[in-house]
Amino acid sequence: MTTQTTGIPPAERNERRAWLREHSELGVCVLLLALGVLVLTDALTMDVDIAQRGPVGPKTVPVVVGAGLLVIAALLAVDVLRGGRGQAETGEDVDLSEPADWRTVLLLAGVFLGSAVLIEPLGFPVAGALLFWGAAFALGSRRIDRDPLIAAGLSLVTYVVFNNLLGVPLPGGPLMGVL
């Protein structure tokens, strides 16, 4: 007996589903393969206008990373097809029977997206402080007297280290003249 929508017998369809379930790690292989191809394509089509001294240039690291991703994808695919399986989580503080805490995940995603939107108009020090404070709140800290001060200090130190010491320009926003 076949189904009218697919033409595949139910027993064969169940067999395919079981095979895919047993080899679900192949999805990671496909992801690694796609990422490796993307990195290699981007690296090999990179326009390098700077003077290069020696054999190592700006393309070297992306090519090595892309090739490494392809090799890992192939080795993992071979392992999965030979019957290799990933081990289940064995962390001592992880309870796999508990459902995911989607409230925390959504709060963290909202804080992250909010800081990404606010970084240009408010600058990194303010957006970073809101990010650090929001992340602490989402993860359960309710110390309203301490958390904003720690977040502001951490954000200012990060801004000064990246902007002034490392030379990575971050938007200062309204505080640009002060810092």
Side-chain angles (χ1 to χ4, degrees):
M1 172 190 326
T2 62
T3 61
Q4 293 178 2
T5 57
T6 62
I8 301 172
E12 187 177 330
R13 193 172 341 125
N14 289 339
E15 190 175 308
R16 285 184 187 181
R17 284 183 186 160
W19 189 89
L20 287 173
R21 203 173 296 120
E22 291 173 7
H23 298 89
S24 61
E25 288 94 347
L26 290 175
V28 176
C29 300
V30 170
L31 179 67
L32 290 173
L33 178 73
L35 193 59
V37 168
L38 178 69
V39 169
L40 277 176
T41 302
D42 195 36
L44 295 176
T45 59
M46 184 186 302
D47 186 27
V48 182
D49 291 336
I50 62 172
Q52 179 177 332
R53 292 184 182 194
V56 178
K59 291 183 177 184
T60 306
V61 171
V63 167
V64 169
V65 168
L69 285 168
L70 294 179
V71 168
I72 289 171
L75 291 173
L76 181 59
V78 167
D79 181 53
V80 170
L81 292 174
R82 286 184 175 173
R85 304 265 316 160
Q87 291 183 355
E89 175 65 43
T90 59
E92 61 190 48
D93 59 346
V94 176
D95 187 4
L96 296 176
S97 65
E98 289 292 319
D101 185 6
W102 288 108
R103 179 183 179 273
T104 302
V105 172
L106 292 175
L107 278 172
L108 283 172
V111 166
F112 180 75
L113 290 174
S115 68
V117 169
L118 295 174
I119 196 167
E120 198 60 43
L122 298 181
F124 182 83
V126 175
L130 291 173
L131 171 69
F132 296 138
W133 188 17
F137 181 83
L139 294 172
S141 180
R142 299 296 186 260
R143 295 286 308 263
I144 296 175
D145 58 333
R146 179 189 67 186
D147 291 346
L149 296 175
I150 293 174
L154 186 59
S155 182
L156 284 173
V157 167
T158 304
Y159 177 79
V160 168
V161 167
F162 275 86
N163 197 61
N164 299 350
L165 297 178
L166 297 176
V168 177
L170 296 174
L175 298 176
M176 184 62 86
V178 178
L179 301 174

